[in-house]
Amino acid sequence: MTSLPVVNQPPHRCGALVDHLARRLRLRSESVLAPLGLRPRHLIALTVLRDQGGSAQQDLAKILEMDSTNVVSLLNELETENLIERRRSPTDRRRHLVELTDVGAKLLARAEFALAAVEDEVFSGLSGEQRETLYTLLQQATNKTGVEACRETPPC
């Protein structure tokens, strides 16, 4: 009787699992944001504006990594719902400053509360400590740009 050769197991790869979790999070998140009249891109913009205390429109486009035309469309949607306010910069009339309104801040708080429940559901298989570890690891992974990551682990 001949023995089968030992095959080395490939290292665990996280991509497929992260993708699966991201899809679950995205689908559930979209379902709780929709009744609030929000889409994920709205939520991201509102969060950035809250965290930065407002932003120049061009700076917001860079932060969101969006074309300026798409940012204008996004801001038009948010402004129509009174979630943000745009005004001319007092120091440079060519620039627009964008700020979160009180209505926007309240809606953002409601959305974040709803999304916390989604995270609890999706990550219910993890303890609180494990969730904190996951968060820390994901932060570390996202702190590198794609270019930096490619330099360290070619080929990209």
Side-chain angles (χ1 to χ4, degrees):
M1 182 179 208
T2 62
S3 62
L4 295 174
V6 176
V7 178
N8 290 334
Q9 291 292 322
H12 290 288
R13 299 290 178 201
C14 299
L17 291 173
V18 170
D19 185 54
H20 178 70
L21 282 172
R23 286 174 196 238
R24 285 180 55 198
L25 273 171
R26 188 174 23 260
L27 289 171
R28 289 292 298 127
S29 295
E30 288 171 355
S31 72
V32 300
L33 291 175
L36 299 174
L38 295 174
R39 296 191 338 240
R41 69 189 213 140
H42 297 141
L43 181 75
I44 294 166
L46 295 174
T47 301
V48 167
L49 291 171
R50 183 209 43 217
D51 293 350
Q52 295 207 346
S55 176
Q57 190 168 308
Q58 281 184 320
D59 294 339
L60 186 61
K62 289 176 189 169
I63 292 166
L64 298 175
E65 298 180 9
M66 291 177 72
D67 177 82
S68 59
T69 304
N70 291 333
V71 168
V72 169
S73 174
L74 170 67
L75 296 178
N76 286 343
E77 293 169 9
L78 295 172
E79 193 170 41
T80 298
E81 299 299 321
N82 192 33
L83 303 177
I84 59 126
E85 179 181 52
R86 279 185 283 197
R87 56 185 165 75
R88 296 269 182 204
S89 167
T91 58
D92 183 351
R93 302 294 296 162
R94 295 169 295 174
R95 291 175 43 133
H96 281 97
L97 300 177
V98 184
E99 293 182 334
L100 192 62
T101 63
D102 288 341
V103 172
K106 289 175 184 171
L107 186 61
L108 178 57
R110 287 179 53 206
E112 288 176 329
F113 183 78
L115 290 171
V118 168
E119 282 192 22
D120 286 343
E121 176 188 320
V122 172
F123 295 114
S124 63
L126 299 177
S127 69
E129 185 177 321
Q130 289 170 323
R131 289 184 200 192
E132 285 299 318
T133 299
L134 176 62
Y135 180 80
T136 300
L137 293 171
L138 290 172
Q139 258 190 325
Q140 289 173 10
T142 58
N143 282 336
K144 293 186 180 220
T145 65
V147 173
E148 290 169 329
C150 284
R151 278 191 216 126
E152 291 180 14
T153 57
C156 280

